[in-house]
Amino acid sequence: MLLFLKKILRIFFWLSITAFSLGVIGGTTFLVWGYFYITRDLPHLDSIQDYKPPAVTKIYDDKEDLIAEFYIERRYPVTISDIPDTTRKAFIAAEDASFYTHPGIDIVSIFRALVKNLQSGTKKQGASTITQQVVKKILLTPEKDYRRKIKEAILSYRLEKRLTKNEILEIYMNQMYFGNGAYGIKAAAEIYFHKEVADLTVAEASMLAGLLKAPSRYSPVLNMDRAKKRQRYVLRQMQNSGFISKAQMEQALDEEIAAYPVDNTRIRKAPYYASEVKRVLIDKLGSEKEVDIGGYKGYTALEQVAQNLATQSLRSELKAIDKRRGWRGPTEVVSESEQSSFIEKLVRKNGSQKLDQEIIQAIVIRTNRTKGTIEVSTGSDIAT
């Protein structure tokens, strides 16, 4: 009987070892198959290594004063050395405090976010590193599923093997959208604060870093109170990470910040000349898109004093010719019910131009036969 039990135990032992081995082999096979299945169509990292984002093309006059900008995305790429250390640290503190130590993914942050999300029952906290955000923005689609997240993690790990941390951070700070038409840190500094990146204070840098979570929601132009609350969070993260002292944090919190409404004027001076320059560039470069994304600098022979005199003379002569030709009747008739929508079109077309500045389209809104007068509107200006 004892011998029989020993045989049974021996058989059970070897069956257990065999089952365990098969399980390990099967699990390993499944993991290997899963890895190759997920990575079979991964995009190449070349587009990140050879990073050249769409950038503004600038046109200058003979004194190197800016007269026009052409772009699709308003971005002025800068090198990492152009960005002050405190500004870099503001973004690292806000988005990825362990950026310089993790290998592209932050396992600790992933588990921390998972626990908090399970506790709240909703996805309140994310765990994407700066490297993952770069990969997601440049290489992957915005869809949200587990396969994309796995691809994102694999690509992030690989990217960290190819580029230095500072190279990845440079791409990140040039690529991200800050709202108000600003792409990258230099455009954000100019658009929001009318400053160069090098001149940003800790308070301003932390406010820009806070924008990335939700550019419209935390815009200092749209809602300064909300922007300040987000800024406070970033500054506390900077202090907790040892990037700034408590005194520096309090000083930044007390600083008054002036944020400016966006100015999307592309042709600032000499519009006819600038338009002709763009036509020449399109002929030389092959397409309008190349002009708008190439980040070129064009230096012209334009003398603005002479250009302004020529423009004034041309306008004066055109007005004189128009006056000699006399009244030629309305270009179209607008019914009373259509007046409101027509005036809205005029506002979009004429902008804030005054009736005494340009020959522009207007609508007759009232007449007075007794006085022999008419009242016209450009949408933003009314004259009799």
Side-chain angles (χ1 to χ4, degrees), residues 96-148:
D96 185 4
S98 59
F99 172 68
Y100 280 108
T101 57
H102 65 63
I105 54 174
D106 188 348
I107 302 299
V108 174
S109 293
I110 291 173
F111 277 108
R112 186 190 304 122
L114 180 63
V115 169
K116 290 191 176 182
N117 291 338
L118 288 173
Q119 288 174 344
S120 65
T122 59
K123 189 179 179 181
K124 288 187 175 181
Q125 190 171 34
S128 291
T129 64
I130 284 175
T131 311
Q132 286 176 275
Q133 292 182 57
V134 167
V135 166
K136 181 166 55 179
K137 284 288 182 183
I138 299 177
L139 295 180
L140 298 175
T141 60
E143 62 184 349
K144 296 182 178 180
D145 59 36
Y146 74 93
R147 284 174 298 181
R148 202 220 67 189

Side-chain angles (χ1 to χ4, degrees), residues 263-325:
D263 177 10
N264 282 322
T265 304
R266 300 192 183 200
I267 298 181
R268 302 169 187 274
K269 300 166 185 175
Y272 308 117
Y273 189 95
S275 297
E276 181 63 13
V277 169
K278 185 172 187 181
R279 186 193 66 76
V280 172
L281 285 175
I282 291 171
D283 287 343
K284 287 185 176 296
L285 298 173
S287 70
E288 183 175 11
K289 183 179 179 182
E290 178 60 25
V291 176
D292 290 340
I293 69 172
Y296 300 101
K297 291 184 178 181
Y299 298 92
T300 71
L302 173 69
E303 295 181 21
Q304 288 197 46
V305 174
Q307 177 71 21
N308 292 338
L309 289 172
T311 301
Q312 289 171 15
S313 178
L314 177 63
R315 286 178 178 172
S316 177
E317 289 302 314
L318 287 174
K319 287 180 180 179
I321 293 170
D322 186 67
K323 189 174 183 179
R324 287 198 298 270
R325 293 183 65 185

Side-chain angles (χ1 to χ4, degrees), residues 30 54 69 73 77 109 122 130 154 256:
F30 178 77
E69 293 183 321
E73 295 179 355
S109 293
T122 59
I130 284 175
I154 293 170
E256 290 292 328

Side-chain angles (χ1 to χ4, degrees), residues 23-39 154:
V24 170
I25 294 170
T28 303
T29 303
F30 178 77
L31 288 174
V32 171
W33 173 84
Y35 175 81
F36 283 105
Y37 176 78
I38 289 290
T39 60
I154 293 170

Side-chain angles (χ1 to χ4, degrees), residues 5 16 33 46 51 56-57 59 72 119 125 151 160 162 172 178 199 204 222 255 275-276 281 285 314 328 330 349:
L5 287 175
S16 298
W33 173 84
D46 296 347
Y51 178 72
V56 174
T57 290
I59 308 299
I72 295 174
Q119 288 174 344
Q125 190 171 34
K151 289 179 179 180
E160 294 262 353
R162 293 205 188 184
Y172 175 79
F178 288 80
D199 299 326
E204 291 164 340
L222 300 177
E255 183 179 318
S275 297
E276 181 63 13
L281 285 175
L285 298 173
L314 177 63
R328 294 180 298 282
K349 181 179 180 181

Side-chain angles (χ1 to χ4, degrees), residues 134-254:
V134 167
V135 166
K136 181 166 55 179
K137 284 288 182 183
I138 299 177
L139 295 180
L140 298 175
T141 60
E143 62 184 349
K144 296 182 178 180
D145 59 36
Y146 74 93
R147 284 174 298 181
R148 202 220 67 189
K149 292 298 291 184
I150 294 173
K151 289 179 179 180
E152 183 183 294
I154 293 170
L155 286 169
S156 298
Y157 179 78
R158 290 181 179 179
L159 184 61
E160 294 262 353
K161 298 297 182 183
R162 293 205 188 184
L163 299 181
T164 66
K165 289 288 187 177
N166 279 346
E167 286 172 334
I168 294 171
L169 185 61
E170 179 180 305
I171 294 171
Y172 175 79
M173 298 192 74
N174 280 303
Q175 181 67 25
M176 302 304 288
Y177 181 60
F178 288 80
N180 258 348
Y183 290 83
I185 182 65
K186 181 175 173 63
E190 290 188 9
I191 288 172
Y192 284 103
F193 304 132
H194 292 183
K195 284 189 171 185
E196 292 294 327
V197 176
D199 299 326
L200 289 173
T201 64
V202 173
E204 291 164 340
S206 59
M207 188 165 283
L208 290 180
L211 274 173
L212 294 183
K213 183 177 178 66
S216 296
R217 178 175 176 79
Y218 297 113
S219 168
V221 175
L222 300 177
N223 192 320
M224 180 58 83
D225 289 340
R226 194 178 288 156
K228 291 286 285 184
K229 287 180 181 178
R230 177 65 181 165
Q231 177 206 37
R232 186 177 295 111
Y233 164 80
V234 176
L235 288 168
R236 284 176 178 166
Q237 289 291 99
M238 291 181 75
Q239 189 204 357
N240 292 339
S241 299
F243 296 153
I244 58 173
S245 65
K246 185 176 181 181
Q248 286 176 301
M249 180 187 74
E250 291 173 350
Q251 182 181 356
L253 286 171
D254 292 337

